[in-house]
Amino acid sequence: MSEIDVVILAAGKGSRMKDNFPKPLHEVAGLPILEWVCRAVRKIEPHKIIAVQSASEDFASYVDETVVQAQQLGSADALQAAFSKVDAEKILVINGDMPLVTGDVLADLVAKGEGFDAAVLTTSLKHPFGYGRIIPVGQRNVVEQIVEEKDATDDQRQIQLINSGIYLFRTEYIKRTISQVTANNAQKEFYLTDALPGARIVQADDWRDLLGVNDQKQLADANQVARKRINEQLMANGVSMIDPQSTYIDANVVVGAGTVIKPGTVIERDSVIGADNEIGPYAHLRENTVTGTDVHIGNFVETKNAEIGAHTHIGHLTYVGDARIGESVNIGAGTIFVNYDGKNKHITKVGDHAFIGSNTKLIAPVDIAREAITAAGSTITADVAEHAMGIARQRQTNKPEFWDRLPHEDFAQTYREKKRQENQAPDES
Ligand code: UD1
Ligand code: CA
């Protein structure tokens, strides 16, 4: 097969996002949209990947080469900016706002576009608003014209066949044709779609693969689809989820078989969760949380940069940051790993079988040895040796006959009665 250069169009202003943040760097399931696009295009083993960027962004770390489009004059102008870097026989062009695209759908375009000057990926959408519509030549799989939403007549807006923004071109053909594109349209832009008449139409099987992100709603939709795919993949590999809809797992996360994930759980970035864990409900496992087998992390526990050994329990209301925790450790409710001094992060180590009493503060850097104990309610600032117990709290004193010195409120009046009074008697003063 002939060699293909990929051009990712990513210089647009993203103005419909209304948020002053580069659209290609918005995250979907923990990865920038641009990274999703790059992962998909790498599957067709391109000769090289070129990103077209604006003068204010630099996407060099994602791709092989970048080129700046000086002014945002439209998608045809953007592709033209990349021509100086293209030397393969074919070009696959893709909008840089398509996080759900897969290698399979791109490979299909490459296969079915073979022998044509141009080919375009398409699908039918029930709600095609915003997309360019493809008008075919009669009943054939050939483009007569692509009309943008803003240029379309009411009749054309009824068309459900949309332009995905993914094209395959013979390089020689598109270099020759693109110079004929004019900006004679509603947006006064050079539309790449005006170079598409005559192109082969290639239908995608799953319309979701072709969803573009132009506004915040579409970003949320893309996240939902990506997360559903991630969860289904994990379940296929033996992970149990009580409620997949309320389980938020990033693309790079690994979860071992037999692990049960309970509702409201978030697992982020490059976390690696072992087999047979029980996670959640309402656990927040942030970047680089690594657990052994049979770990239990319960409700309202947040972890970050934490290694947690096999059979360890962290049941409730706890923050674990920059921690190296051994095997079969018990971390009591309300424990805080105090890792941050305002400038630097410090590490806390907890050895195998250690017992951390409830409401312990572990002020890092600090080492709790194996089979060591901290007494509940302690603020631990010094290392605790093997088999020792660290206790660091005030002794209790009781003040007798204190009751009458405390002001009391009458709780007999119900909340509803109070509300009724508030809402019926406006303040006249
Ligand atoms: C584009 C297509 C539309 C298609 C839709 C699919 C055109 C004219 N229209 O519309 O038919 O249905 O994608 O999602 O192409 N860009 C630049 N420089 C520019 C303008 C755009 O690099 O001067 C880039 C953008 O960053 C974006 C891509 O080109 O990645 C498409 O631009 P966008 O404004 O998102 O076009 P759509 O209106 O979505
Ligand atoms: Ca778009």
Side-chain angles (χ1 to χ4, degrees), residues 288 290 304-309 312 320-327 329 331 337 346-352 366-368:
N288 303 316
V290 178
K304 184 190 176 191
N305 293 328
E307 283 169 23
I308 301 164
T312 285
V320 181
D322 298 289
R324 309 279 173 271
I325 302 174
E327 300 190 354
V329 169
I331 307 275
F337 284 62
H346 302 279
I347 295 207
T348 299
K349 291 184 186 159
V350 181
D352 296 346
V366 70
D367 273 26
I368 311 301

Side-chain angles (χ1 to χ4, degrees), residues 88-109:
E89 194 189 322
K90 291 188 177 176
I91 314 180
L92 185 131
V93 179
I94 179 166
N95 288 352
D97 59 5
M98 308 190 61
L100 300 171
V101 68
T102 62
D104 285 348
V105 80
L106 297 177
D108 201 40
L109 174 68

Side-chain angles (χ1 to χ4, degrees), residues 112-130:
K112 293 186 176 145
E114 185 67 42
F116 293 84
D117 282 337
V120 55
L121 263 173
T122 180
T123 189
S124 282
L125 291 183
K126 267 199 207 117
H127 304 290
F129 177 82

Side-chain angles (χ1 to χ4, degrees), residues 16 23 95-98 130-131 164 212-214 218:
R16 284 166 283 178
K23 186 167 75 172
N95 288 352
D97 59 5
M98 308 190 61
Y131 288 90
S164 65
V213 171
N214 296 300
Q218 288 173 329

Side-chain angles (χ1 to χ4, degrees), residues 130-373:
Y131 288 90
R133 312 295 209 283
I134 295 184
I135 303 169
V137 178
Q139 302 294 311
R140 294 170 56 206
N141 270 336
V142 174
V143 175
E144 180 176 313
Q145 197 195 347
I146 299 181
V147 214
E148 293 305 300
E149 175 82 33
K150 286 183 180 148
D151 300 296
T153 63
D154 285 347
D155 278 352
Q156 289 168 335
R157 290 202 180 101
Q158 304 304 311
I159 298 172
Q160 295 185 329
L161 197 65
I162 59 103
N163 167 28
S164 65
I166 305 177
Y167 324 94
L168 182 75
F169 296 111
R170 271 199 323 110
T171 307
E172 182 272 320
Y173 168 82
I174 189 62
K175 281 188 174 172
R176 180 158 44 81
T177 317
I178 210 165
S179 53
Q180 292 157 26
V181 171
T182 65
N184 186 14
N185 53 54
Q187 303 186 84
K188 301 275 171 283
E189 282 187 10
F190 294 89
Y191 291 164
L192 180 51
T193 46
D194 285 352
L196 269 291
R200 170 79 201 259
I201 296 172
V202 178
Q203 296 255 3
D205 291 336
D206 186 347
W207 56 272
R208 294 173 198 83
D209 291 353
L210 303 186
L211 287 181
V213 171
N214 296 300
D215 55 30
Q216 303 290 345
K217 160 81 166 63
Q218 288 173 329
L219 179 63
D221 290 346
N223 264 289
Q224 208 167 35
V225 175
R227 298 219 137 93
K228 188 160 184 278
R229 289 178 176 181
I230 290 165
N231 288 354
E232 284 172 0
Q233 184 63 52
L234 288 170
M235 288 187 280
N237 293 342
V239 175
S240 296
M241 290 182 193
I242 308 299
D243 181 21
Q245 296 215 51
S246 71
T247 302
Y248 305 83
I249 303 185
D250 280 353
N252 277 357
V253 168
V254 176
V255 185
T259 287
V260 178
I261 302 178
K262 297 185 171 177
T265 292
V266 179
I267 310 181
E268 294 177 335
R269 298 292 166 128
D270 301 310
S271 292
V272 179
I273 308 306
D276 299 320
N277 282 210
E278 184 188 340
I279 310 289
Y282 309 108
H284 185 189
L285 279 45
R286 295 169 59 202
E287 61 257 44
N288 303 316
T289 296
V290 178
T291 69
T293 54
D294 184 40
V295 167
H296 173 213
I297 297 178
N299 9 216
F300 309 111
V301 173
E302 175 181 347
T303 62
K304 184 190 176 191
N305 293 328
E307 283 169 23
I308 301 164
H311 316 295
T312 285
H313 285 222
I314 310 174
H316 342 257
L317 300 162
T318 290
Y319 175 64
V320 181
D322 298 289
R324 309 279 173 271
I325 302 174
E327 300 190 354
S328 302
V329 169
N330 186 77
I331 307 275
T335 296
I336 311 280
F337 284 62
V338 184
N339 59 332
Y340 183 50
D341 60 15
K343 188 155 187 238
N344 297 305
K345 302 280 173 75
H346 302 279
I347 295 207
T348 299
K349 291 184 186 159
V350 181
D352 296 346
H353 305 281
F355 184 94
I356 305 300
S358 289
N359 193 27
T360 295
K361 312 285 170 283
L362 297 162
I363 315 275
V366 70
D367 273 26
I368 311 301
R370 67 190 318 261
E371 295 173 6
I373 300 163

